[in-house]
Amino acid sequence: MRRRSIYWTFLLGYVIYGVFAYLAIAFFMPQVLTRYFEKKQALALYREAVTIADTYASGLYTGDATLESVKSQLDTFSAFTSAEIWILNPSGRMVLNSSMEMDVDDVIIVEGFDTSALAGNYYTTGTFFDYFDEEQLSVLASITTDDTYQINGYVVIHYPYSNIVQSYNDIQGFMFLMFAILLALSLIILLFFTAFVYIPLRRITTATEQYASGNYHYDLQPESNDELGYLAGILSYMAGEIAHSEDNQKQFVANVSHDFRSPLTSIQGYLQAMLDGTIPPELHEKYIQIVLNETQRLTKLTNSLLQLNNLNTKGMMLNRTDFDINTVIRSVAATFEGRCRDKNIRLQLILTGDELYVNADMEKIQQVLYNLLDNAIKFSHQNSRIQIEATEKKNKLYVSVKDYGIGIPKEELSLVWERFYKSDNSRGKDKKGTGLGLSITKEIIRSHGEHINVISTLGAGTEFVFTLPVSQEED
């Protein structure tokens, strides 16, 4: 399916906006504004009609004014308002007309004149009972006397409706001009959208296509500090992490292959040598022991991989209890007495009090201490010492395992937690290590919600420090 461009969608919306705005000005606004001008003009004329009815016209029926004086006033009002002014009797007989000279002998009757046809309105539009040939705006005001309130006649003002239409036409051109100016100014929005939304979004779309195709090294640099810039930064970071993960995966496969190949090659070589007689029967027991050691190494590597995989995929189930960390430290240290004796390494324990209870998974913490102590002995010199210290500070226990061995280069400190990592200085010193111990150690500590750090100086030694929560239970 062909993808629709958001830019063309936005442009289409802009065109539709322009079309509908034009149609509104050309067809809808004439009706609205003409109606507005109609009511406005009708109200103004009605006020004039009421004024005439209450003064000059009523004087005709009270004897206070003559036809000539009223006619003169009607002519003045007519000139001022550009309207035709009548005085009608209730029967429809025209008494005065501002557009005609007085002629008492010429009787003009507006046929069909009936105020009830106005339905209570003070004005009407049309030809006024077919008297005019063109449409008029006609306003009526009744002429009454003060004492009887009897309707003696009506003041009728007629205003050509074409003048009202012309009033709208006079401003319609201005409205179209303003519409054109606003439409042109709104192009600025389109330009801003193009520069600050569409182009960055297009760059992000191109980058996601590259990432989807596997090119995680495609360079996507955020060029703004808004949401799109943030999104670009997040995508770039995500791609970098995926690329790093892929590199780690390739390295992981390479390391696993290497660590499996070496013992398998040894096992195959020794067994083949025993079968073809290269190794005499009297040495079989020695080399069978070597093969057994290699199988144990493979078993240890497999178990470590399975454990680390379970930690990363399923999360770690912890069996938290309150236990004495001092007892656990002494117990783990005792398991390494033989190895320490072989290298003449002295274990120094610096513990707080006889007992110090923490809340954690005891078996998992035993494994952490075992991995750290095993690592310390592995890279310690002959005739050196290893120090294990437990210190309580603000309801936290800080456990330190410090050796005075070969140390780790500064540039490699951040790599010690990676799977299969082995420092260049340690390569060849330990053939049994899997390179997974510290990765498992960090996952265990992290699952407890705690932290583990490493401090090392090349040639001077290494110290690992991790934290545990002190038990809140009273002794």
Side-chain angles (χ1 to χ4, degrees):
M1 187 176 71
R2 185 176 180 181
R3 184 179 61 194
R4 180 183 296 174
S5 171
I6 189 174
Y7 182 78
W8 293 110
T9 302
F10 188 84
L11 191 60
L12 177 63
Y14 177 78
V15 172
I16 292 175
Y17 156 75
V19 170
F20 274 93
Y22 174 81
L23 293 176
I25 295 175
F27 299 102
F28 177 71
M29 291 302 294
Q31 300 179 22
V32 174
L33 289 180
T34 301
R35 184 68 175 170
Y36 167 76
F37 286 124
E38 174 187 305
K39 288 187 175 183
K40 183 179 179 181
Q41 186 65 32
L43 182 59
L45 294 176
Y46 179 72
R47 289 171 180 168
E48 296 290 346
V50 170
T51 300
I52 297 172
D54 292 343
T55 55
Y56 311 111
S58 63
L60 288 175
Y61 296 93
T62 61
D64 295 333
T66 62
L67 285 174
E68 291 78 4
S69 63
V70 174
K71 177 67 166 62
S72 176
Q73 294 297 331
L74 293 186
D75 291 344
T76 302
F77 274 105
S78 177
F80 178 74
T81 59
S82 300
E84 186 174 322
I85 305 174
W86 295 354
I87 294 180
L88 294 179
N89 284 338
S91 62
R93 179 176 178 273
M94 191 176 297
V95 178
L96 285 176
N97 187 337
S98 65
S99 64
M100 300 172 60
E101 296 297 329
M102 291 190 307
D103 187 354
V104 294
D105 297 326
D106 185 12
V107 178
I108 299 175
I109 302 294
V110 178
E111 300 293 339
F113 175 71
D114 183 7
T115 57
S116 63
L118 300 179
N121 293 328
Y122 64 87
Y123 79 95
T124 184
T125 58
T127 58
F128 199 77
F129 302 100
D130 298 326
Y131 182 86
F132 294 98
D133 294 331
E134 296 180 358
E135 187 176 11
Q136 303 286 320
L137 171 65
S138 302
V139 177
L140 285 84
S142 58
I143 304 171
T144 61
T145 56
D146 294 336
D147 50 352
T148 63
Y149 294 102
Q150 179 182 357
I151 297 177
N152 299 313
Y154 297 94
V155 174
V156 185
I157 302 179
H158 303 287
Y159 186 79
Y161 205 84
S162 59
N163 291 351
I164 296 176
V165 175
Q166 185 60 41
S167 297
Y168 169 75
N169 291 335
D170 290 342
I171 68 169
Q172 187 179 36
F174 175 75
M175 293 178 63
F176 275 114
L177 177 62
M178 290 302 299
F179 165 72
I181 294 174
L182 290 176
L183 194 64
L185 290 176
S186 63
L187 283 173
I188 298 175
I189 299 177
L190 184 62
L191 295 177
F192 269 85
F193 173 81
T194 303
F196 298 105
V197 177
Y198 176 71
I199 293 177
L201 193 59
R202 185 69 191 128
R203 291 180 60 253
I204 292 174
T205 302
T206 302
T208 54
E209 291 173 348
Q210 292 292 323
Y211 299 152
S213 64
N215 182 16
Y216 299 112
H217 296 286
Y218 181 84
D219 186 27
L220 175 62
Q221 294 295 330
E223 296 181 351
S224 63
N225 294 324
D226 56 13
E227 288 81 356
L228 289 176
Y230 178 75
L231 177 60
I234 290 295
L235 285 175
S236 180
Y237 175 77
M238 179 191 70
E241 289 297 306
I242 295 176
H244 181 66
S245 178
E246 275 200 341
D247 294 340
N248 287 343
Q249 185 177 7
K250 293 176 182 178
Q251 185 64 34
F252 175 80
V253 172
N255 289 333
V256 169
S257 300
H258 177 270
D259 279 33
F260 270 93
R261 186 187 302 113
S262 296
L264 287 174
T265 301
S266 298
I267 292 172
Q268 181 181 13
Y270 289 135
L271 291 177
Q272 185 65 42
M274 285 188 285
L275 286 176
D276 62 19
T278 303
I279 299 176
E282 60 271 17
L283 296 178
H284 281 188
E285 182 177 353
K286 172 184 175 182
Y287 287 98
I288 288 176
Q289 185 60 48
I290 295 175
V291 169
L292 181 61
N293 291 338
E294 291 297 320
T295 59
Q296 290 174 346
R297 178 184 172 191
L298 288 174
T299 300
K300 181 179 179 182
L301 177 60
T302 302
N303 291 337
S304 296
L305 286 170
L306 290 174
Q307 182 180 14
L308 193 57
N309 182 67
N310 288 334
L311 295 180
N312 290 336
T313 57
K314 300 179 182 179
M316 186 179 298
M317 299 297 295
L318 298 178
N319 181 24
R320 284 181 173 270
T321 59
D322 294 329
F323 62 91
D324 180 19
I325 189 66
N326 290 346
T327 300
V328 173
I329 292 174
R330 294 188 186 99
S331 175
V332 173
T335 61
F336 288 93
E337 287 182 358
R339 288 181 58 189
C340 288
R341 189 181 306 112
D342 293 339
K343 296 184 70 172
N344 197 23
I345 295 174
R346 179 168 60 90
L347 281 179
Q348 182 181 7
L349 306 184
I350 304 175
L351 308 177
T352 300
D354 294 332
E355 294 181 342
L356 181 56
Y357 283 83
V358 296
N359 182 265
D361 188 315
M362 186 175 68
E363 291 185 2
K364 297 290 192 302
I365 299 306
Q366 281 179 327
Q367 185 176 2
V368 168
L369 289 168
Y370 185 92
N371 289 344
L372 294 179
L373 192 53
D374 177 70
N375 206 63
I377 295 173
K378 189 184 305 179
F379 302 116
S380 288
H381 300 298
Q382 295 279 346
N383 304 313
S384 63
R385 68 184 176 92
I386 296 174
Q387 177 180 296
I388 304 177
E389 182 177 359
T391 306
E392 181 185 2
K393 295 180 182 179
K394 298 181 180 179
N395 293 326
K396 284 287 184 181
L397 177 70
Y398 293 81
V399 180
S400 166
V401 179
K402 183 177 183 179
D403 66 66
Y404 297 87
I406 62 177
I408 303 172
K410 182 178 180 180
E411 62 274 11
E412 296 184 20
L413 278 178
S414 61
L415 306 175
V416 298
W417 311 110
E418 295 186 3
R419 301 174 182 181
F420 294 103
Y421 167 77
K422 292 183 180 180
S423 172
D424 290 338
N425 291 331
S426 68
R427 293 191 185 278
K429 292 181 179 290
D430 178 50
K431 300 296 185 180
K432 298 180 180 180
T434 63
L436 296 174
L438 291 180
S439 297
I440 294 174
T441 295
K442 185 171 184 178
E443 290 297 326
I444 292 174
I445 296 300
R446 186 163 56 184
S447 69
H448 281 78
E450 300 297 329
H451 304 280
I452 182 169
N453 296 309
V454 58
I455 305 169
S456 185
T457 301
L458 190 61
T462 302
E463 180 181 15
F464 287 89
V465 181
F466 65 90
T467 60
L468 289 176
V470 174
S471 174
Q472 300 300 316
E473 296 292 332
E474 295 292 338
D475 292 340

